[in-house]
Amino acid sequence: MGIEEKNLEFEKLSESKKFILENLNFDKPDVGIILGTGLGGVADRIEDQVEIPYQKILNFPISTVKGHEGMLIGGKLSGKKVCAMKGRFHYYEGYDMGKVTYGAKLLCFLGIDTLIVSNAAGGLNPQFSRGDIMIITDHINLFPEHPLRGSSDERLGPRFTDMYNTYDKDLIKLAEVTALDTGIKVRKGIYLGLQGPTFETAAEYRMIRTIGADAVGMSTVPEVIVARWMGSKVLGLSIISDMGLPDALEPINHEMVLKASIEAEPKLSELVINIVERL
Ligand code: HPA
């Protein structure tokens, strides 16, 4: 995003917000959800749904991917007012960080208190297995571009953002207790975000593990950073779609990631619905 574009961010977000509020049944959502791989099922459980295609939202990034279904969904989930993004913009697709994070910024600008983000990730912790759900406790940002680089508008957030308690400790506890009560096994760990689109070499998986990560993926970190910048609490959840064990590495492709995510999706969706109920 160029400097001039960044200077206009507040105005652009205001226009997008105005448009969305004209279409929603409420003024301020409590919870924002980014339905990454593995949370699609949550969309079907949102009641009194209003669906707004991204391309209709003023100033929303235009998707260049064919057949990309991008939709903002407003409604009620477990009695809470939610706005969910179905479809996200990945850095590896070629979007700059302004576009990658526009949706998350808009959710925060609409006034959410809590952002729930999900993804599929490669597991590095040898105690994990494919299909596990991991509550993200922290992240390591290895994206080559920072979403907050450039001019900073104090109306949106501070110049220097504290990343203390980025993955909210109370929300982590709530997620753990909810998982226990609903009989869903969860892991906890650190997510490392990088640009992709290649999966990692054995040497890279080893390095990523060595520097402290339990899982690795190509999303989430940019959106979480802007959410913290704008003051929303964050809960992050990963589906471990494959294992990146450097000494026992097996071939991996996107279909395998999707298959594992689809299999784990019902339990992750159930967990999120129950967490939202307890917020
Ligand atoms: N590496 C990076 N991103 C991923 C992986 C992985 O192994 N699995 C799912 N997303």
Side-chain angles (χ1 to χ4, degrees):
M1 192 189 296
I3 286 174
E4 260 167 44
E5 216 180 326
K6 201 135 189 167
N7 286 341
L8 290 173
E9 201 164 36
F10 186 90
E11 285 68 29
K12 288 194 164 180
L13 285 166
S14 303
E15 287 173 356
S16 299
K17 177 178 174 175
K18 185 166 173 280
F19 175 83
I20 286 168
L21 291 185
E22 281 163 10
N23 287 274
L24 282 185
N25 304 326
F26 48 79
D27 276 353
K28 185 189 103 62
D30 306 310
V31 184
I33 308 176
I34 299 179
L35 301 166
T37 317
L39 266 190
V42 168
D44 304 330
R45 300 279 292 270
I46 298 176
E47 291 161 18
D48 306 327
Q49 281 202 17
V50 177
E51 288 190 340
I52 312 173
Y54 290 163
Q55 68 260 30
K56 285 203 172 164
I57 304 173
L58 216 55
N59 302 330
F60 211 87
I62 312 250
S63 169
T64 54
V65 182
K66 262 195 214 138
H68 184 97
E69 63 162 56
M71 198 84 81
L72 194 92
I73 305 168
K76 282 256 174 106
L77 184 70
S78 309
K80 304 279 187 319
K81 289 174 280 177
V82 301
C83 256
M85 278 178 62
K86 194 173 176 186
R88 55 150 60 107
F89 295 79
H90 294 94
Y91 191 73
Y92 62 74
E93 292 173 278
Y95 302 105
D96 65 29
M97 279 298 180
K99 292 191 168 69
V100 170
T101 58
Y102 193 82
K105 283 179 193 162
L106 186 53
L107 292 175
C108 296
F109 200 69
L110 288 167
I112 59 165
D113 307 308
T114 304
L115 179 70
I116 301 178
V117 205
S118 76
N119 59 54
L124 304 157
N125 185 327
Q127 293 183 338
F128 291 0
S129 316
R130 186 170 166 272
D132 278 352
I133 292 173
M134 184 186 90
I135 301 170
I136 305 177
T137 55
D138 207 346
H139 76 217
I140 299 172
N141 178 18
L142 285 192
F143 277 87
E145 184 190 340
H146 200 285
L148 302 181
R149 179 173 177 265
S151 59
S152 188
D153 190 332
E154 291 285 333
R155 290 173 294 178
L156 297 173
R159 171 71 286 185
F160 299 104
T161 298
D162 189 358
M163 296 300 281
Y164 172 79
N165 204 29
T166 288
Y167 297 85
D168 188 84
K169 288 192 175 50
D170 293 335
L171 289 177
I172 292 171
K173 196 150 277 164
L174 179 67
E176 274 188 284
V177 171
T178 307
L180 200 63
D181 290 348
T182 45
I184 295 169
K185 186 178 101 178
V186 284
R187 309 290 198 170
K188 284 197 294 181
I190 295 167
Y191 176 93
L192 183 144
L194 34 66
Q195 65 171 316
T198 46
F199 293 105
E200 290 66 40
T201 64
E204 287 164 346
Y205 280 122
R206 182 175 286 105
M207 176 196 75
I208 292 165
R209 177 70 183 145
T210 304
I211 63 173
D214 295 289
V216 57
M218 308 173 193
S219 68
T220 303
V221 167
E223 294 124 314
V224 168
I225 289 173
V226 301
R228 291 306 297 143
W229 175 56
M230 295 179 73
S232 171
K233 287 186 283 185
V234 172
L235 175 68
L237 298 160
S238 295
I239 289 173
I240 303 301
S241 58
D242 54 284
M243 288 301 295
L245 300 174
D247 295 314
L249 202 56
E250 288 175 14
I252 173 78
N253 59 43
H254 187 55
E255 285 63 41
M256 291 159 75
V257 170
L258 286 181
K259 187 167 180 290
S261 304
I262 288 164
E263 283 166 12
E265 174 167 342
K267 52 176 187 167
L268 183 57
S269 294
E270 201 52 42
L271 179 61
V272 166
I273 288 160
N274 281 291
I275 291 170
V276 170
E277 190 172 1
R278 295 172 182 210
L279 281 174

